[in-house]
Amino acid sequence: GIEAHAQVKLGLKGGLNVTSMSLSSSVLDASNRTGFFVGPMVKVTVPIVGLSLDAAALYDQREAKVSVQGVDEGNNQVNMKQKSLIVPVNVRYGIGVSSLANIFLFAGPQWGYNIGDKDFKWGDDLKYSLKRNNFSVNVGAGVTLLTHLQLTANYNIVCGKSAEVVSSDEAGTLARSRNNSWQIALGYWF
């Protein structure tokens, strides 16, 4: 009989993300910014036609400018740089178009761990405070060419808040932030 075995592939992946920040306060304004990510990835193809799992450990860096109205002009903007280790784990379903290309859809959870600065301040009494870790979900599509080259695009949806703006006086939390992003990646399977 024919034996079915899982197949494991290792690779490298890098790409760009465009973060869309939504803030729960009209007093705050955030500019959408690009960032990048890079790191190793692994794919396990299971013995069910078209199905596989992939995971990665990626260094992810994003930047944004967040401005607050009502704070003096010279001190109303904070440049936020978020450095994270992100771990996406996706289920993939692929369709072989020819021996040269495979198109696939994927979805799955992603865990993010903040490894950079956590707090960014406006003056003495306001700060933009990033969460230490977050949980999100990826949904996307991709293509593998010549069995080695992979191109993907996905949307990353954060579950819960990514950060909050807090005041040192009695006002407490002024706003919550959600940082969803579009991601485009190029990968290479060895």
Side-chain angles (χ1 to χ4, degrees):
I2 298 172
E3 288 187 40
H5 295 287
Q7 181 185 5
V8 177
K9 280 190 169 185
L10 298 175
L12 285 175
K13 170 173 163 171
L16 298 174
N17 53 44
V18 178
T19 302
S20 166
M21 296 175 69
S22 59
L23 292 153
S24 65
S25 168
S26 59
V27 179
L28 296 158
D29 182 45
S31 62
N32 294 339
R33 290 288 177 190
T34 57
F36 69 91
F37 53 91
V38 64
M41 61 180 176
V42 61
K43 179 172 74 170
V44 179
T45 304
V46 294
I48 299 170
V49 175
L51 214 54
S52 59
L53 295 170
D54 72 38
L58 306 170
Y59 171 78
D60 180 281
Q61 183 172 305
R62 304 170 187 211
E63 291 184 54
K65 289 183 169 75
V66 181
S67 51
V68 61
Q69 297 164 4
V71 173
D72 62 29
E73 281 304 309
N75 201 19
N76 75 337
Q77 194 172 76
V78 65
N79 290 330
M80 188 271 301
K81 186 180 280 190
Q82 181 177 8
K83 298 174 185 175
S84 304
L85 172 66
I86 59 173
V87 181
V89 178
N90 295 303
V91 174
R92 300 161 52 127
Y93 180 73
I95 303 159
V97 179
S98 69
S99 60
L100 302 177
N102 175 289
I103 295 172
F104 58 93
L105 300 174
F106 64 92
Q110 176 174 292
W111 293 267
Y113 305 95
N114 188 2
I115 57 174
D117 293 337
K118 184 177 172 283
D119 297 323
F120 302 87
K121 297 186 178 193
W122 292 275
D124 296 329
D125 60 343
L126 280 181
K127 73 178 175 183
Y128 185 89
S129 185
L130 291 166
K131 288 184 66 181
R132 288 205 184 283
N133 49 53
N134 62 59
F135 177 76
S136 57
V137 176
N138 287 315
V139 177
V143 61
T144 304
L145 302 170
L146 305 170
T147 70
H148 293 288
L149 205 56
Q150 174 181 283
L151 180 64
T152 58
N154 69 278
Y155 191 61
N156 176 256
I157 306 152
V158 173
C159 302
K161 68 182 179 197
S162 304
E164 59 187 15
V165 176
V166 292
S167 173
S168 58
D169 61 22
E170 282 80 52
T173 301
L174 301 180
R176 288 177 175 78
S177 170
R178 292 177 82 118
N179 303 342
N180 295 339
S181 61
W182 283 100
Q183 299 174 320
I184 298 171
L186 187 60
Y188 186 84
W189 296 109
F190 298 110

